[in-house]
């Protein structure tokens, strides 16, 4: 499975960005997908996740009400719509695919929110 993120960039506080993650390869092995982020000098943290079946979602408390995770199965693509961005949302955002025995990571995309 290969995961490729896009959509990162520089935005002012209060602005919006939409990240995309395109999956290719043995995508049938993925049970759930999600977004992690790694702020500068900090550990990687889970931002949001979505299951492949029912599409159940889960969010970090810090992004609830501002971020929305979704997927388009026909396009093998997952999205993260980020609204009302804050400087503390700055970091490298990674797409993850959770398989039965393996986890797959994208290369990351930088999101920078200026104050």
């Amino acid at each position: 499975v290969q995961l490729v993120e896009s959509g990162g960039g520089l935005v002012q506080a209060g602005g919006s960005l939409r990240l995309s993650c395109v999956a290719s390869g043995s995508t049938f092995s993925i049970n759930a997908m999600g977004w992690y982020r790694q702020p500068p000098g900090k550990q990687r943290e889970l931002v949001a996740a979505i299951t492949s079946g029912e599409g159940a979602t889960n969010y970090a408390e810090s992004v609830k009400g501002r971020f929305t995770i979704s997927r388009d199965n026909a396009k093998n693509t997952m999205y993260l719509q980020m609204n009302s961005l804050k400087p503390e949302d700055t970091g490298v955002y990674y797409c993850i695919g959770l398989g039965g025995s393996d986890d797959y990571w994208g290369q990351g995309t930088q999101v920078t929110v200026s104050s």
Side-chain angles (χ1 to χ4, degrees):
V1 176
Q2 295 78 45
L3 303 174
V4 179
E5 304 100 332
S6 62
L10 173 64
V11 64
Q12 288 187 335
S16 299
L17 283 174
R18 188 176 82 154
L19 305 183
S20 300
C21 173
V22 179
S24 61
S26 302
T27 57
F28 58 86
S29 65
I30 296 176
N31 299 319
M33 297 186 73
W35 292 95
Y36 274 74
R37 68 185 178 192
Q38 187 162 18
K42 297 183 179 180
Q43 292 187 336
R44 201 172 290 189
E45 59 186 12
L46 178 66
V47 175
I50 185 167
T51 63
S52 298
E54 296 181 350
T57 58
N58 185 41
Y59 296 92
E61 285 295 326
S62 60
V63 306
K64 281 184 179 179
R66 300 188 297 121
F67 290 12
T68 302
I69 189 171
S70 63
R71 73 183 197 278
D72 184 335
N73 291 335
K75 296 181 179 180
N76 286 331
T77 302
M78 176 180 65
Y79 304 98
L80 185 68
Q81 177 67 44
M82 304 186 294
N83 299 327
S84 301
L85 282 161
K86 304 176 181 180
E88 50 264 42
D89 294 318
T90 293
V92 180
Y93 283 68
Y94 297 91
C95 169
I96 182 173
L98 304 177
S101 59
D102 296 296
D103 295 340
Y104 308 97
W105 290 87
Q107 81 287 351
T109 185
Q110 177 70 44
V111 171
T112 303
V113 184
S114 62
S115 57

